[in-house]
Amino acid sequence: MSIDDFVAGFGEEPGYLDFARVGPLGRAVLDEQRGLSEQLGRARFGSLDSLERQDARVREAVAGLLRFRPDQVVFQPNTSSGLMHAMFGITGGIAMSPAEYPSLTFAAARAAETLSVLKPTWLETEYGKVTPGMIRDQLTPACAAVAVSLVDFRTGYLADLDGIRQVIGDRLLIVDAVQAFGIVDAPWEVADVIVSGGQKWVRAGWGTGFLALSDRAAERLTPVFSGVSGAIASGDELPLDDVLEPLAGAAAFSVANPSPIAQAMFATALEDIEQVGVEVIHEGVAEKVSEMIDLADEFGIPIASSRAPNERAGIVVLEPPADRLTTLTASLFNHGVTATTRGGRVRLSAHVTTSDETFAMLRAAFLSLRST
């Protein structure tokens, strides 16, 4: 599939610059959802077998992009669920920034409060950026793991996973990949735990995601929340009179059977991404990000996110003077530009499908701001 064919499969309205919040679904995902929903609605004899095959399909799709094995992947309904599994499974200290997205910090805090076997070390950062040097200077022997967002949701900063791996040694490296998965071809093999949802850059909708574990992570983590689906391999009989031990590996980190329709939607989106190539998509996103930066510079709007290509993915963060924030937000709204305003900043996020018309609307909003 060419990048042009990929882009043609989407149809979001012009003005949408909020992929870091949620990515509008493409036609292939919507067709898959409708087709399987219709199949489930009719429940024709023998038709439900295809629904049961979606688990293997989605694990293969995730594994292909991560360069992991399918048995190292388990489907999750969202990023937060996967992070809860990981945090409740760790014994020892974990280092992370308190400025991480709350899915990370809440999971660590709840695990520490409930089981008393995990102790968070809150890292001091410079403007929220988690760098190898900063981690190295604050690690303690008690830290058994380090957690980081590959792309920070507030600053758009792209973390250096290779560098972090070098400074943390054999500690577990836990990565929240939700703001990167699908548009960044990271060195996934250096991570031990990778968690992501599919509702943002993958554009598979809510209720989709995964947890991937390296072999050593699977050995070290305890599957605290392991339900019946985490104890029965495909094809096994349901244990009616016994409580089985969790399965080995990532499969243990499952509570109940997920929606096969959600699995199929996620798999469809990932299969299309793999056909195009994450590197190709990343290049297209980088061009859109550069265009957003150029527009902000043209109109003198300060940028808080990194300008370095190796430190950014799909997010540009504007930081106007405090007395201009409301005006900028109103101007974007009045010109039909969808963005996120939070903490005195405006976050713009573009995908390869972001059109020239969208950039014309953004320019008009900036022009209106300058005239006020």
Side-chain angles (χ1 to χ4, degrees):
M1 181 188 296
S2 70
I3 188 66
D4 291 337
D5 291 335
F6 181 77
V7 171
F10 296 89
E12 70 266 20
E13 292 290 324
Y16 193 80
L17 288 172
D18 214 5
F19 290 90
R21 181 171 65 169
V22 62
L25 306 181
R27 282 189 286 276
V29 170
L30 289 170
D31 288 345
E32 191 78 358
Q33 180 189 43
R34 281 191 289 264
L36 289 182
S37 295
E38 178 69 17
Q39 184 174 314
L40 181 59
R42 292 180 177 275
R44 182 175 296 139
F45 177 78
S47 65
L48 299 185
D49 291 346
S50 65
L51 295 175
E52 295 178 356
R53 292 193 290 269
Q54 298 309 316
D55 183 71
R57 178 190 176 194
V58 74
R59 289 188 294 105
E60 289 174 3
V62 172
L65 290 183
L66 294 180
R67 298 178 292 277
F68 274 42
R69 301 189 313 270
D71 67 282
Q72 294 176 302
V73 177
V74 61
F75 184 83
Q76 296 290 325
N78 47 59
T79 310
S80 295
S81 294
L83 290 173
M84 282 286 186
H85 276 297
M87 295 301 164
F88 274 81
I90 296 173
T91 298
I94 184 167
M96 71 175 68
S97 166
E100 293 285 2
Y101 190 78
S103 290
L104 260 176
T105 57
F106 270 58
R110 294 293 184 258
E113 294 162 358
T114 305
L115 300 182
S116 301
V117 296
L118 177 71
K119 183 177 180 181
T121 295
W122 303 110
L123 300 172
E124 296 181 4
T125 66
E126 184 177 354
Y127 304 110
K129 294 181 179 180
V130 179
T131 65
M134 177 270 296
I135 293 174
R136 180 194 60 229
D137 294 342
Q138 298 181 62
L139 276 180
T140 67
C143 285
V146 172
V148 64
S149 292
L150 182 52
V151 173
D152 182 74
F153 79 107
R154 280 190 277 205
T155 66
Y157 177 72
L158 176 62
D160 177 6
L161 289 190
D162 273 327
I164 292 173
R165 167 50 69 194
Q166 291 175 21
V167 302
I168 70 172
D170 67 351
R171 297 173 175 87
L172 294 181
L173 176 53
I174 300 169
V175 179
D176 178 343
V178 72
Q179 291 292 2
F181 189 60
I183 62 166
V184 175
D185 188 26
W188 303 113
E189 58 275 4
V190 306
D192 295 293
V193 179
I194 306 169
V195 186
S196 181
Q199 79 276 20
K200 299 183 186 292
W201 303 94
V202 175
R203 306 176 70 162
W206 285 290
T208 63
F210 70 88
L211 167 67
L213 302 178
S214 69
D215 288 338
R216 69 196 197 108
E219 293 175 359
R220 296 186 190 183
L221 297 185
T222 302
V224 174
F225 298 108
S226 185
V228 64
S229 62
I232 306 175
S234 177
D236 286 355
E237 290 290 329
L238 182 69
L240 298 179
D241 301 303
D242 195 10
V243 177
L244 304 180
E245 291 295 315
L247 294 166
F253 295 83
S254 175
V255 177
N257 291 325
S259 162
I261 296 175
Q263 290 179 317
M265 293 169 67
F266 197 28
T268 298
L270 295 176
E271 289 161 359
D272 283 353
I273 289 171
E274 187 169 28
Q275 285 189 52
V276 179
V278 176
E279 303 92 340
V280 175
I281 293 174
H282 180 75
E283 290 174 3
V285 172
E287 291 177 3
K288 307 294 183 180
V289 168
S290 294
E291 192 167 350
M292 289 192 293
I293 291 174
D294 290 343
L295 266 177
D297 287 344
E298 179 182 342
F299 288 90
I301 302 174
I303 295 175
S305 51
S306 178
R307 295 173 178 270
N310 66 325
E311 293 183 352
R312 70 190 195 211
I315 294 173
V316 174
V317 181
L318 308 179
E319 191 171 31
D323 61 348
R324 301 288 282 168
L325 176 64
T326 300
T327 307
L328 172 58
T329 301
S331 186
L332 291 170
F333 179 86
N334 291 338
H335 288 84
V337 176
T338 303
T340 290
T341 299
R342 181 189 289 123
R345 295 175 171 180
V346 175
R347 186 183 68 187
L348 306 175
S349 45
H351 212 300
V352 290
T353 58
T354 301
S355 64
D356 291 341
E357 187 175 355
T358 295
F359 281 107
M361 295 165 71
L362 183 61
R363 172 181 286 277
F366 288 169
L367 185 62
S368 177
L369 174 71
R370 187 167 65 181
S371 65
T372 58

